[in-house]
Amino acid sequence: MSAFTALRVHSPEKNRTEARFDSLQVDELSAGEVVIRVAWSGINYKDALAVTGKGRILKKFPLVPGIDLAGHVESSSDARYQPGDAVLVTGCNIGEVHDGGYAELARVKADSIIRKPAGLTLRETMALGTAGFTAAFALRRMLENHQAPAMGPIAVTGPTGGVGSVAIDLFKRAGFTVHAITGKAGKADDYLRRLGADEVISRQALDIGSKPLESARWAGAVDNLGGETLAMLTRTVKPWGNIASIGLAQSHELATTVMPFILRGVSILGIHSVECPRAWREDIWDKLSGEWRPRTLDRLVTREVALRDVPAACEDLIAGTVTGRTLVRVSGAD
Ligand SMILES: NC(=O)c1ccc[n+]([C@@H]2O[C@H](COP(=O)([O-])OP(=O)(O)OC[C@H]3O[C@@H](n4cnc5c(N)ncnc54)[C@H](OP(=O)(O)O)[C@@H]3O)[C@@H](O)[C@H]2O)c1
């Protein structure tokens, strides 16, 4: 195979990183049984942290970032995959420990690969990417823990982001009333309502006290922020409600009391998409391509960028100016 282009993050000195485009040979990629010609990737919050160097995501240098990729198998030493197969990888430590999706070719472990589900194109799998997978993972865990539409509305925080946007669609489709608690109230209301939000609530204008238990308002929540927002949710979720703890866009800290857990039976469900057990992973992709397939998949993608534009697009994501999902066209073959 001839040389190909990859975005790689280098660390020329301690605590400083630099993203640049390199010309690589396949043998320079981290080890794996399957070489994939990448068609599409996407930009998640974690990717933006890795590329800009704003977060310590990468475990070694140099490394190709990109925690998601979809494309066609070029070669495989694992009998499960043949050249030409349409496949995808989300998480599984690519773009963190192993070279990831921001390159024309990727070499990955066969066990991390999911066959493209019949109900989605390769482009659509990356319109969802880790963000969509994670939102679906939250829905799965909440339903398993007896969350039901009749219990009342679900709050989604960070709703204009990738995970939040897909979560609105998925929960609405599953029959829930959805309240989007956003920092962009007044600016993104149309976008959020078109995805299915029944109410758009300004995070800054929320006036909730600081008692261990405040008046219960939401039946459950999908939280992308952590910090004060997650603490507020523990105080305001109704008896037996579930809070899917996904992100830390506001803070990694959580200051709350045991009161919501022991007096309201509230549960915090941890969501860890990177190392999700394979059987769950396959089931979630199956559902995303069928009964949970987002109705607003087209609207979720607000930007499509070429590989060369990934560094600038990552800066935008960190600046908080982006709404929805950013797709990365690598070769663009469907
Ligand atoms: N646990 C997992 O497996 C997993 C998987 C994927 C993502 N995540 C995490 O989930 C979070 C969301 O990921 P994403 O890909 O959806 O990110 P994203 O597209 O960047 O969206 C994050 C959203 O959070 C809000 N936000 C951003 N910065 C904020 C700040 N400083 N304070 C308060 N709100 C802020 C914004 O929404 P509004 O303006 O609408 O409020 C923004 O759109 C991230 O923390 C990410 O690391 C975790």
Side-chain angles (χ1 to χ4, degrees), residues 179-199:
H179 290 182
I181 303 178
T182 178
K184 300 189 189 83
K187 297 185 197 131
D189 297 29
D190 285 352
Y191 170 78
L192 293 167
R193 285 190 187 280
R194 279 203 301 268
L195 295 183
D198 297 282
E199 274 189 36

Side-chain angles (χ1 to χ4, degrees), residues 9 16 27 67 142 169 260 265 279 282 285 300 313:
V9 177
R16 188 169 76 82
D27 287 347
I67 64 171
M142 288 173 68
D169 183 305
E282 287 174 336
W285 276 111
L300 293 169

Side-chain angles (χ1 to χ4, degrees), residues 251-323:
S251 168
H252 66 277
E253 291 185 356
L254 174 59
T256 187
T257 71
V258 298
M259 298 306 213
F261 315 121
I262 64 175
L263 294 181
R264 284 184 177 163
V266 167
S267 297
I268 295 191
L269 304 179
I271 306 297
H272 176 43
S273 62
V274 178
E275 286 165 328
C276 168
R278 187 173 171 86
W280 301 5
R281 192 178 285 283
E282 287 174 336
D283 177 63
I284 289 168
W285 276 111
D286 195 45
K287 288 219 166 52
L288 276 171
S289 69
E291 60 185 291
W292 290 358
R293 188 188 150 88
R295 291 186 177 133
T296 61
L297 203 47
D298 286 348
R299 290 189 197 132
L300 293 169
V301 177
T302 50
R303 289 193 306 176
E304 187 177 306
V305 301
L307 187 56
R308 67 176 173 281
D309 298 322
V310 165
C314 287
E315 294 286 353
D316 295 342
L317 205 87
I318 293 294
T321 55
V322 178
T323 290

Side-chain angles (χ1 to χ4, degrees), residues 43-46 49 130-131 134 157-164 181-184 192 203 224-225 245-250 271-274 317 320 322 324-325:
I43 303 181
N44 298 280
Y45 190 73
K46 198 182 245 181
L49 290 174
T130 283
T134 303
T157 65
T160 63
V163 177
I181 303 178
T182 178
K184 300 189 189 83
L192 293 167
R203 194 182 71 244
N224 290 299
L225 304 191
S245 171
I246 292 175
L248 42 54
Q250 188 172 56
I271 306 297
H272 176 43
S273 62
V274 178
L317 205 87
V322 178
R325 290 278 295 153

